Every structure is written in structure tokens, then in C-alpha cells.
Amino acid sequence: MLTLRPLPALSDNYIWTLAGADGRCIVVDPGEAAPVEAAAAEGLRPVAILLTHHHPDHIGGAARLRERFAIPCHAPVDPRIDCASHRVGEGDVIAIPELGTAFTTIEVHGHTSSHVAFHGAGVVFCGDTLFSLGCGRMFEGTPAQMLASLDRLAALPGATSVCCGHEYTLANAAFASRVDPDNADLQAAIARARQARERGKPSLPTTIADECASNPFLRVDTAAVRAAITDHEGAPPASRADAFAALRRWKDGFRA
Ligand code: ZN
Ligand code: FE
């Protein structure tokens, strides 16, 4: 039995840990070392670090943790990540024998040019590609690339736990509601997130099935989201990628 636990870090990041009964765990995207060191003082024992992309809020604590615990650090091929011990790309499997499990690397470019996700043990660590009720900004990719990346994640088994890099769910909720106001699954997802946050808990993980039912960025093929995009643009999108691009642009300029 493995236990997922997000460690809040920086302003709104989560450092994800997945631990066995004995506390041995992987650490995903440690933007700072202190929250992991604090958890280690209470029994968590890091055995590997996984990094999804090069942004400082995801890797800032990795060099220190790698040295402190003498553990491997798996990261995509990118010179901007200099603390890696092992490089991974599409389809590469990272075995974690201490947890009796393994993670497959999925290249999900778009937020950055080398962003990856890790899928295994019924969980996907998706960094800043997929958020609950939203998706990452396209800093280094095209809409077609980002859409292809989200398609890859959406195709994972519905029960897969979605572990995103940030607590953005409620921040994303207003835009999602504007785009897809009649979606009862979306309103239920927002209600769940609100309840969790009011109790001081993370709104994550969600599941792939939840996101497919509620996240407008995974629903550009639905009649409701297409109609909203058409209404906002004044003309129907010429392609899926155009629909996605219009939706992302709309959100970039959206103020609740
Ligand atoms: Zn990022
Ligand atoms: Fe981030």
C-alpha cells in the first residue's frame, strides 16, 4: 500500500511524495528542500527524486536533497537541469524497487520544451502541464504541442490520480465555469475543491476521469466548449488546435 502526500512548498507549489508503509518514498518536483527535510525528520525516507521540468519552483531543492540523502535524481534531457543523475525521455521506465513499482516517462511538451510526466502505481505526476480545471501556460510550445500533451494525459486510465504541481483549482474554477456553465460535473468538482480548501486540505489529487468530465482544456471537442469558444471568437475554430489556442488565449486575458 503506497501513500500519496503533497508537501506544500513556496507560495502554491506541491512537492509530491509517494511512500511505502516503511516511509521510503519518491519525491517529485522539490522546489525547495525544507519541506522534505521536515517530513524526513518525521519518518519519510526519500529514495529517489523525479523532476518534471526545469522551472526553479520545481527543482530548487533537488541538488540539496540529492546530496543529503545520496539518492538518484531523474530528469528530462535539458541543460537547464544540472542536478540530474539520470536522464529520461519518452517511454523510459524508472524502476523504484524500494516501493515495488515503476514509472513510465511521458513527454508532454508545451509548458516547456522538455517537460515530462511520470505515470505509475495508479498515479500521474504532471507538473505544470495539466492542472485541476486548467492547464499550464505555453511558455515554450505551440498550442498543437500542448493539446497533444493533454491528449496523452487524458488517455490514461480514468482512475489515475492526478498530481499537479500547483494548488490552482479554485483559481481556475471561475474561468472553467464561464466556459462551461451548464456542466454539473464541473460544479461538483468546484464544490469538492472548495470544501477541501475550507478545511485547509489540498484540492488534489483529482482523477483523470474527473478532469475529463470537468476541465475545459480537456473538453475542446465537446459541443458546449466549442460553442463557448465560437461565441467568444465570433467564428467557429478551424481545427482542434485552433479551438485549444483560442481557449488558452481567452483564459490568459480572463479576469474573474
Ligand atoms: Zn513551470
Ligand atoms: Fe510551476
Side-chain angles (χ1 to χ4, degrees):
M1 182 66 189
L2 301 176
T3 306
L4 260 179
R5 177 176 163 205
L7 307 175
L10 302 168
S11 54
D12 50 27
N13 281 76
Y14 287 125
I15 302 168
W16 285 94
T17 66
L18 181 69
D22 62 359
R24 289 189 293 181
C25 70
I26 59 163
V27 175
V28 183
D29 283 0
E32 55 180 341
V36 180
E37 291 172 334
E42 292 166 7
L44 222 52
R45 296 156 60 199
V47 299
I49 299 166
L50 277 58
L51 303 178
T52 62
H53 68 293
H54 75 277
H55 285 156
D57 62 311
H58 296 255
I59 71 171
R64 176 173 165 146
L65 294 172
R66 181 187 159 190
E67 185 165 309
R68 161 109 185 238
F69 296 102
I71 55 178
C73 178
H74 303 269
V77 178
D78 191 316
R80 296 170 295 190
I81 306 177
D82 56 13
C83 55
S85 61
H86 295 67
R87 298 291 177 172
V88 291
E90 178 62 31
D92 286 344
V93 174
I94 303 165
I96 310 287
E98 296 90 340
L99 300 187
T101 190
F103 295 87
T104 302
T105 308
I106 308 172
E107 290 187 349
V108 284
H109 301 168
H111 177 66
T112 70
S113 58
S114 65
H115 198 302
V116 299
F118 302 104
H119 175 234
V123 178
V124 65
F125 300 104
C126 50
D128 289 357
T129 297
L130 175 64
F131 294 121
S132 184
L133 310 186
C135 73
R137 288 177 185 265
M138 293 174 288
F139 288 122
E140 300 175 359
T142 64
Q145 257 182 337
M146 191 70 173
L147 179 60
S149 296
L150 293 172
D151 286 344
R152 299 280 313 275
L153 298 175
L156 294 173
T160 306
S161 295
V162 174
C163 300
C164 318
H166 292 265
E167 179 59 64
Y168 285 165
T169 314
L170 290 182
N172 288 334
F175 179 74
S177 281
R178 172 69 183 278
V179 172
D180 202 3
D182 301 324
N183 182 339
D185 291 324
L186 170 59
Q187 294 312 315
I190 294 170
R192 284 196 300 274
R194 252 193 215 116
Q195 268 178 16
R197 299 305 292 149
E198 277 163 9
R199 292 179 2 248
K201 304 264 193 240
S203 64
L204 303 168
T206 58
T207 67
I208 290 291
D210 288 337
E211 295 304 324
C212 286
S214 60
N215 187 327
F217 291 93
L218 300 186
R219 296 173 59 77
V220 293
D221 299 322
T222 65
V225 172
R226 281 188 78 86
I229 294 167
T230 300
D231 190 49
H232 184 257
E233 293 282 297
S239 66
R240 285 186 82 227
D242 279 359
F244 177 77
L247 192 62
R248 184 62 259 187
R249 236 181 2 251
W250 183 5
K251 184 169 194 290
D252 288 342
F254 181 81
R255 296 288 169 271

